[in-house]
Amino acid sequence: MIEVARVGKTYKRGDGTPVAALKDISFRIEKGEFLTIRGPSGSGKSSMLNIMGCLDKPTCGTYRLHGEELSGYTDKQLSHVRAWKIGFVFQSFNLMPRTTALENVEIPMIYGPGHVDRKRAIAALERVGLGARAHHYGTELSGGEQQRVAIARALINDPPLILADEPTGNLDSAGGAEVMGILRQLHREGRTVVLVTHDDAVAAYAEREILFKDGALASDRKMAQFPVEAQ
Ligand SMILES: Nc1ncnc2c1ncn2[C@@H]1O[C@H](COP(=O)(O)OP(=O)(O)O)[C@@H](O)[C@H]1O
Ligand SMILES: [Mg+2]
């Protein structure tokens, strides 16, 4: 489903000096996997997830999603892929201000199908247990509720791939457990879930872990609770 091959990402600092955030990264992810990307702060986790989520492009190397080679795509082509194939969940929720939960969930329908199906948006909120909060503004919701709205928004166009960058990083343990319960359910339904985390309790949900160190891939292993199946 995903093939990252020899990907590098170099940013330029304000003073023009280059920062090599990703160096020669290669891995594959099969459809339906649930994996975490872990590693110290600054090791390149978000840079990698942003490339996988079509929010950024690699400096070198290739990124294939469903066999499509995306590294040469224009911004417009990437936003099309993002609208249909990828649900992205951020640490800080990124809900639109002065916008209700329901309106937030409807936004990706404008970029995907091109029209809003309100019944579908309500069903998505019900799915994350927030049917009764549809007309509330983000500021009226707890952190855990805001993240569940963000997950409903990520799911609204039914993408096969869910990417989450420290989705529980701003939540208390109860809110975090709710969010992880939903992500686990999405995985059980057959979606591919990739999440960046620092948290051992969160990492325990996953069946595979990729470790980043200084922009390089340091290890890639199956987790003990999921026996490795015959290939
Ligand atoms: N937009 C940017 N401009 C310049 N440097 C960046 C930018 N984004 C990230 N970096 C640098 O790239 C490196 C990796 O960052 P990041 O991918 O955010 O790591 P992580 O998510 O593991 O904390 C860090 O040194 C960071 O300072
Ligand atoms: Mg990060």
Side-chain angles (χ1 to χ4, degrees), residues 98-146:
R98 296 178 295 281
T99 303
T100 65
L102 184 60
E103 289 162 344
N104 267 285
V105 172
E106 289 172 347
I107 290 167
M109 293 194 212
I110 299 165
Y111 297 99
H115 58 86
V116 167
D117 178 345
R118 179 145 288 191
K119 277 207 195 99
R120 198 178 153 97
I122 289 172
L125 281 170
E126 283 167 351
R127 211 158 159 216
V128 297
L130 291 176
R133 295 271 196 278
H135 299 288
H136 287 242
Y137 290 87
T139 46
E140 300 170 324
L141 301 172
S142 71
E145 289 171 336
Q146 289 182 62

Side-chain angles (χ1 to χ4, degrees), residues 11-13 19 21 39-48:
Y11 299 103
K12 278 221 157 48
R13 278 194 225 282
V19 186
S41 182
S43 58
K45 306 180 297 294
S46 295
S47 300
M48 190 69 249

Side-chain angles (χ1 to χ4, degrees), residues 2-9 11 21-27 29 35 37-38 43-58 60-64 88 161 163-165 194 196 210-212 215-217:
I2 285 177
E3 193 178 348
V4 170
R6 311 213 63 175
V7 158
K9 178 73 190 179
Y11 299 103
L22 296 173
K23 302 167 203 161
D24 203 22
I25 304 275
S26 301
F27 58 87
I29 301 174
L35 76 87
I37 298 178
R38 305 184 76 189
S43 58
K45 306 180 297 294
S46 295
S47 300
M48 190 69 249
L49 210 68
N50 290 345
I51 290 169
M52 290 165 69
C54 297
L55 296 166
D56 203 355
K57 298 181 202 182
C60 58
T62 57
Y63 171 42
R64 277 200 173 79
F88 205 105
L161 175 62
L163 302 175
D165 196 348
V194 180
V196 167
I210 287 179
L211 193 67
F212 276 39
L217 201 154

Side-chain angles (χ1 to χ4, degrees), residues 183-199:
L183 292 175
R184 175 161 59 188
Q185 185 55 35
L186 297 176
H187 166 239
R188 286 184 175 156
E189 289 167 8
R191 289 189 176 79
T192 309
V193 179
V194 180
L195 72 89
V196 167
T197 187
H198 271 114
D199 184 342

Side-chain angles (χ1 to χ4, degrees), residues 17 45 71 78 104 146 164 223:
T17 49
K45 306 180 297 294
S71 37
L78 288 177
N104 267 285
Q146 289 182 62
M223 306 307 281

Side-chain angles (χ1 to χ4, degrees), residues 40-101:
S41 182
S43 58
K45 306 180 297 294
S46 295
S47 300
M48 190 69 249
L49 210 68
N50 290 345
I51 290 169
M52 290 165 69
C54 297
L55 296 166
D56 203 355
K57 298 181 202 182
T59 310
C60 58
T62 57
Y63 171 42
R64 277 200 173 79
L65 178 62
H66 289 135
E68 269 184 281
E69 215 288 83
L70 303 182
S71 37
Y73 272 29
T74 62
D75 289 347
K76 195 173 168 203
Q77 289 173 310
L78 288 177
S79 60
H80 185 260
V81 174
R82 201 160 61 230
W84 286 108
K85 302 252 174 96
I86 299 161
F88 205 105
V89 179
F90 300 88
Q91 177 173 355
S92 51
F93 326 134
N94 286 13
L95 300 185
M96 299 284 287
R98 296 178 295 281
T99 303
T100 65

